[in-house]
Amino acid sequence: MKKDKWGYGIHPDRQIDLDNANLSLLELVRQSEPSYNLCIACGSCAATCTAGNLTTISLRRINIYLQRGMIKELREEIRRCMLCGKCYLACPRGVNTRHVIIAIHEALKATGYEEL
């Protein structure tokens, strides 16, 4: 019997090695916007995102990419942000999410990752 008839397959490894992840962008963003450290990942920002209704942007995903050092994915995700500020208004912890996005753009420029 063929293996493909059983419905099993081998998926690529999705583990993230946090010990070897590039967290330089995370540190630059934390220095530039100290309120980022107050984020509890509640999702209020993602729920109110105007661009989220029109595109696939998710501020929670941006947060995950930044904390895991996933620079390529982060670059693609932040390009969808319209900087409208609704996420900042919805944040119960007062994280200046607009400035976090701007800080990520600046950190990408400073580290040379924007051109990749």
Side-chain angles (χ1 to χ4, degrees):
M1 207 178 243
K2 291 184 178 181
K3 289 183 181 180
D4 61 351
K5 295 198 177 203
W6 288 93
Y8 296 108
I10 298 174
H11 296 284
D13 187 16
R14 293 181 18 186
Q15 294 181 23
I16 298 170
D17 185 5
L18 293 177
D19 292 330
N20 294 319
N22 183 355
L23 302 179
S24 60
L25 287 177
L26 177 62
E27 292 306 316
L28 288 172
V29 170
R30 284 183 170 163
Q31 290 172 3
S32 180
E33 183 51 54
S35 70
Y36 177 75
N37 295 321
L38 300 174
C39 179
I40 57 174
C42 66
S44 296
C45 55
T48 60
C49 182
T50 301
N53 293 331
L54 305 171
T55 66
T56 60
I57 188 172
S58 170
L59 286 164
R60 292 181 91 179
R61 199 175 311 127
I62 289 172
N63 192 17
I64 290 169
Y65 290 158
L66 184 61
Q67 291 178 352
R68 292 181 178 177
M70 300 170 72
I71 295 169
K72 180 182 174 189
E73 295 85 351
L74 179 66
R75 280 184 25 242
E76 294 301 316
E77 194 73 19
I78 64 169
R79 289 182 181 157
R80 298 180 182 111
C81 180
M82 299 186 318
L83 294 172
C84 68
K86 286 173 72 177
C87 51
Y88 176 53
L89 296 174
C91 181
R93 299 290 303 233
V95 177
N96 190 341
T97 50
R98 284 180 68 190
H99 192 256
V100 168
I101 298 295
I102 293 168
I104 293 171
H105 280 290
E106 291 172 355
L108 285 169
K109 284 181 189 174
T111 56
Y113 286 115
E114 190 170 84
E115 292 84 26
L116 295 177

